[in-house]
């Protein structure tokens, strides 16, 4: 009887996300939905765009998910608002957790039609691609009930004063794998082939190391929606004859296995939030070399990894020559990830906010 009452009293929660491409924000939504307290929440996920790369992963977890398959045209924008509004009314949604800026804008429009609706917003980044998106976040502050940031480096007047600081989290157990390392010393990076990820910087370093006669390989996992960036990457590899040193693996869903079998994780991004993939590498006890952008320095420092920018190439070479030191730092990062970034603790912190608002 009491269990039935609990089910009847569940909070109706909608996770609204721009799309289901392979990325950090999508991974966060999947983990939040997968690990939510089913006794307390009736949960849906609604994706707005045509990107469905990760759809089967949500379906595999029996998560109630729907995809609107819309474009970013003005006409489709109004259709999205109508569809989300219908979903809210049909399922008596009490709270929308909007992930990324476009979802937040839609959520606010729907709130105007449903004034009692609560909105939680996670931007998942420190830069937003355009001034319009930045201004949207600032101007729509009054309509949101709580903003979630993942580190102090993200603090900005565009967010509400009553924000909550919750780091990204991962399922640590997925990365406890006992696998043989690749025969060739392996650097790996995971990220879409887009300007933000700055793959050319990594390839320039690979060229220098190749010219020095060092034996290694760089594995690049990810595809991306920008054909220009992909062409630049492929052209650089061909022009500098890096085919034997750099492998483009495209979209992969065996990330834990790929990371564990590598020797070093590298991230050459021009800007970031706090990438999930760094937590994944940390949980795999893999040494990390990263540019010091966004909120990354809140996780990586000189005691548990390597922050490098102008000295990116030199740092890659240093780690190859002094790998024992790199592994020692990786163990310290592993301890930090286990203590502060487990998905269980992150989900509980989110649910505490939901319960306070509804």
């Amino acid at each position: 009887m009491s269990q039935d009452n609990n089910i009847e009293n569940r909070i109706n929660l909608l996770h609204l996300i721009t799309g289901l491409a392979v990325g950090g924000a999508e991974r966060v939504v999947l983990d939040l939905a997968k690990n939510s307290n089913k006794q307390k929440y009736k949960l849906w996920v609604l994706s707005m765009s045509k990107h469905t790369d990760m759809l089967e992963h949500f379906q595999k977890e029996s998560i109630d998910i729907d995809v609107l398959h819309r474009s970013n045209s003005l006409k489709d924008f109004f259709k999205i608002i109508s569809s989300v509004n219908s979903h809210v009314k049909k399922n008596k949604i009490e709270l929308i957790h909007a992930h990324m800026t476009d979802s937040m804008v839609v959520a606010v429009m729907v709130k105007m039609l449903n004034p009692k609706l609560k909105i939680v917003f996670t931007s998942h980044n420190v830069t937003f691609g355009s001034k319009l998106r930045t201004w949207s976040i600032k101007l729509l502050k009054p309509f949101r009930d709580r903003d979630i940031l993942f580190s102090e480096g993200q603090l900005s007047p565009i967010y509400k004063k009553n924000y909550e600081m919750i780091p990204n989290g991962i399922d640590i157990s997925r990365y406890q794998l006992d696998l043989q390392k690749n025969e060739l010393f392996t650097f790996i990076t995971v990220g879409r082939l887009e300007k933000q990820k700055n793959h050319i910087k990594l390839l320039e370093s690979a060229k220098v190391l190749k010219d020095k006669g060092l034996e290694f390989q760089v594995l690049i996992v990810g595809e991306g929606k920008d054909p220009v960036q992909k062409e630049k990457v492929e052209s650089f590899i061909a022009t500098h004859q890096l085919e034997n040193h750099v492998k483009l693996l495209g979209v992969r869903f065996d990330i834990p296995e790929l990371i564990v079998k590598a020797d070093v994780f590298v991230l050459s991004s021009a800007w970031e939030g706090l990438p999930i993939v760094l937590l994944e590498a940390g949980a795999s006890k893999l040494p990390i070399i990263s540019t010091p952008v966004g909120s990354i320095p809140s996780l990586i420092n000189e005691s548990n990894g390597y922050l490098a920018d102008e000295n990116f190439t030199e740092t890659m070479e240093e780690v190859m020559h002094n790998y024992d030191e790199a592994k020692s730092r990786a163990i310290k990062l592993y301890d930090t990830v286990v203590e502060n970034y487990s998905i269980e603790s992150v989900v509980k912190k989110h649910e505490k906010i939901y319960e306070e608002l509804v």
Side-chain angles (χ1 to χ4, degrees):
M1 178 78 73
S2 63
Q3 188 172 5
D4 291 341
N5 286 337
N6 285 339
I7 291 175
E8 288 298 319
N9 293 327
R10 288 186 299 179
I11 294 172
N12 292 333
L13 167 66
L14 173 64
H15 285 283
L16 184 64
I17 189 166
T18 304
L20 295 176
V22 180
E26 294 80 2
R27 182 81 237 175
V28 169
V29 175
L30 175 60
D31 284 339
L32 287 176
K34 175 182 173 182
N35 293 280
S36 69
N37 186 331
K38 306 303 188 294
Q39 296 299 316
K40 289 186 176 181
Y41 297 92
K42 173 59 179 165
L43 183 146
W44 292 264
V45 176
L46 192 57
S47 173
M48 303 191 303
S49 80
K50 300 175 181 179
H51 299 287
T52 58
D53 299 310
M54 289 190 66
L55 177 59
E56 63 179 287
H57 295 271
F58 285 83
Q59 294 171 333
K60 191 183 298 182
E61 298 296 336
S62 300
I63 295 167
D64 198 335
I65 185 168
D66 196 11
V67 179
L68 299 181
H69 296 284
R70 297 297 182 183
S71 70
N72 57 0
S73 68
L74 184 62
K75 179 181 178 182
D76 271 6
F77 174 70
F78 290 111
K79 288 182 178 179
I80 289 171
I81 293 172
S82 176
S83 296
V84 176
N85 183 54
S86 296
H87 192 286
V88 166
K89 290 184 179 300
K90 176 184 175 182
N91 297 298
K92 300 179 181 178
I93 299 297
E94 298 164 90
L95 186 149
I96 294 180
H97 188 161
H99 300 268
M100 298 186 286
T101 310
D102 293 353
S103 298
M104 182 274 295
V105 174
V106 169
V108 168
M109 297 300 107
V110 173
K111 182 183 175 77
M112 291 179 180
L113 302 171
N114 304 272
K116 293 183 178 180
L117 188 66
K118 303 295 183 181
I119 296 179
V120 173
F121 170 52
T122 304
S123 67
H124 295 282
N125 219 324
V126 291
T127 58
F128 307 100
S130 71
K131 290 183 178 178
L132 178 60
R133 281 194 173 94
T134 304
W135 275 103
S136 296
I137 296 172
K138 186 174 184 178
L139 291 174
L140 298 178
K141 269 198 297 186
F143 299 95
R144 305 194 299 268
D145 296 280
R146 199 68 55 87
D147 288 343
I148 296 178
L149 313 182
F150 39 75
S151 84
E152 292 185 1
Q154 201 184 1
L155 285 174
S156 164
I158 67 175
Y159 296 110
K160 295 182 72 69
K161 290 182 179 179
N162 62 332
Y163 65 87
E164 295 286 344
M165 196 76 72
I166 304 178
N168 289 332
I170 60 170
D171 182 353
I172 306 289
S173 64
R174 291 186 68 224
Y175 304 90
Q176 310 299 298
L177 304 174
D178 185 17
L179 298 174
Q180 187 101 14
K181 293 288 185 182
N182 297 322
E183 289 186 17
L184 197 58
F185 192 96
T186 302
F187 295 97
I188 187 169
T189 190
V190 179
R192 296 183 295 272
L193 300 182
E194 295 179 359
K195 186 177 180 180
Q196 173 189 354
K197 302 302 180 181
N198 199 14
H199 288 96
I200 297 300
K201 182 184 187 72
L202 175 58
L203 295 178
E204 289 171 345
S205 295
K207 176 187 179 300
V208 173
L209 297 181
K210 185 204 85 164
D211 291 345
K212 286 189 173 187
L214 297 175
E215 295 186 2
F216 67 95
Q217 66 175 342
V218 176
L219 303 182
I220 298 178
V221 182
E223 192 62 45
K225 299 175 285 186
D226 187 346
V228 175
Q229 289 301 316
K230 183 176 182 180
E231 185 179 333
K232 284 182 179 179
V233 168
E234 292 174 336
S235 176
F236 191 100
I237 292 171
T239 300
H240 298 286
Q241 300 177 325
L242 289 170
E243 293 88 348
N244 292 331
H245 291 79
V246 179
K247 310 295 182 187
L248 300 179
L249 301 188
V251 174
R252 295 286 290 264
F253 295 107
D254 55 343
I255 301 299
E257 291 81 3
L258 290 171
I259 289 178
V260 168
K261 291 165 71 174
D263 297 287
V264 182
F265 189 90
V266 285
L267 191 72
S268 53
S269 296
W271 68 88
E272 280 289 355
L274 182 59
I276 287 285
V277 72
L278 290 187
L279 301 178
E280 294 174 329
S284 305
K285 301 180 183 177
L286 204 65
I288 293 175
I289 302 171
S290 174
T291 46
V293 296
S295 296
I296 291 173
S298 70
L299 174 68
I300 308 293
N301 55 57
E302 291 305 316
S303 72
N304 63 19
Y306 299 83
L307 293 174
D309 196 357
E310 298 303 320
N311 60 332
F312 205 87
T313 307
E314 292 83 355
T315 304
M316 289 175 69
E317 184 174 3
E318 175 191 342
V319 169
M320 289 185 72
H321 291 318
N322 194 3
Y323 194 61
D324 285 342
E325 167 63 19
K327 288 193 293 184
S328 175
R329 296 190 189 193
I331 294 299
K332 293 178 182 177
L333 180 60
Y334 170 78
D335 292 339
T336 297
V337 171
V338 169
E339 184 176 349
N340 300 299
Y341 297 92
S342 73
I343 189 61
E344 292 82 7
S345 67
V346 168
V347 168
K348 286 179 181 177
K349 290 175 182 177
H350 278 85
E351 292 183 344
K352 184 173 182 290
I353 294 171
Y354 303 154
E355 290 165 25
E356 288 175 358
L357 293 177
V358 176

